Amino acid sequence: MLLDSLIQEFTRAEITTIWIHHRIHDTYHNILSIIELCPNEQQFSLAIESIRKNGKRVPFVYIKLDQHRTLYISRKFTRTPEEGLAYFRNPKILHRTKILPSNYSANSIEKILTKDTRNPRTPLEHILPKRSVAFRIWASFDENQLILKQLNEQDIFNIDTLTKQYLGFNLSMYKEFIGAMLLALPNPYLRLVKVVAIPKEASIAVLFYERIGKTIVGGEIEITDTQFSAQGFQLKRKITQNKMLIKLPYIVKELNVKLFDRYKHLIYEDKILFL
């Protein structure tokens, strides 16, 4: 039920899927799916489409792998966030055939919080849409790598061709995500967060750039100094405005900063270095 309540902060979804269709068996194999829920003010991503010989536009791009298999990439824009969540829970291609693998389990779904994906530092941040805010992620993985084991070197090359052109990365560099299903919820309240260390004053300045019609006021900021040998201080402050100056007990080398909304949901986390 947590997801059903969280998605109410969003207005639509974008579903980007890379899949292989085996025409003889009429099966669809998920290579990677990213379902991003979108706030009201977020611009639409570029459509993924191609033109057939008869001049008709189709909402996908494809590469024939062999006489039986075709590789596709598509991006669907839904009118509601509920449609994006429904796809994550029961993914289907063309609204009729369940996508494989079917070995997803509850144990393979976990909540992950990423940071600013415009400057990616982890494999997950490299493959997510590039945004200036943290993502809350639910991820289903092909834990037994059933899909990866079916791919040959030429298949991987063609997958890289599509992901590089349309998503900006080579999926072969992040093979652990082949077969994955990612549900990405960007920060629903903030477009950007800036935390600036002020060593001379033993304090930090926090700037919240709020989304249109949203507010972080009423939430909480938690600041922790975790030293190598012992636990340092921990401060919790109510967020009362979108610009805050917070005094620290003493100058530190590194801080861990967390933001919580008024419902106590973690929506941001990062480390701040004092030079």
Side-chain angles (χ1 to χ4, degrees), residues 72-202:
Y72 293 85
I73 183 170
S74 70
R75 176 170 289 143
K76 177 183 177 182
F77 303 95
T78 74
R79 294 182 179 180
T80 67
E82 286 81 5
E83 293 175 84
L85 179 57
Y87 184 90
F88 177 70
R89 288 172 168 168
N90 187 27
K92 293 183 179 181
I93 293 295
L94 305 178
H95 303 287
R96 61 185 182 89
T97 305
K98 185 172 177 63
I99 199 168
L100 300 175
S102 59
N103 65 318
Y104 295 132
S105 66
N107 292 331
S108 67
I109 301 176
E110 58 180 313
K111 185 173 64 177
I112 309 168
L113 189 72
T114 72
K115 301 179 181 66
D116 180 346
T117 56
R118 292 179 310 172
N119 302 291
R121 289 172 283 183
T122 67
L124 177 60
E125 290 169 5
H126 274 277
I127 69 175
L128 287 172
K130 299 300 174 280
R131 306 285 183 243
S132 61
V133 294
F135 279 97
R136 190 195 302 265
I137 303 295
W138 272 259
S140 298
F141 297 98
D142 180 11
E143 293 181 328
N144 298 321
Q145 297 189 322
L146 299 180
I147 298 298
L148 179 59
K149 291 173 182 176
Q150 297 178 29
L151 304 176
N152 57 44
E153 289 185 8
Q154 187 60 36
D155 294 340
I156 295 293
F157 174 81
N158 286 312
I159 290 169
D160 275 352
T161 299
L162 290 186
T163 54
K164 182 63 176 178
Q165 181 176 353
Y166 293 98
L167 304 181
F169 60 86
N170 291 328
L171 187 56
S172 65
M173 298 177 62
Y174 314 103
K175 290 182 178 178
E176 65 269 32
F177 290 99
I178 291 179
M181 189 80 55
L182 305 178
L183 178 66
L185 283 67
N187 191 311
Y189 307 102
L190 303 171
R191 298 192 307 271
L192 180 66
V193 181
K194 284 187 178 181
V195 184
V196 182
I198 309 176
K200 291 183 179 180
E201 299 181 16

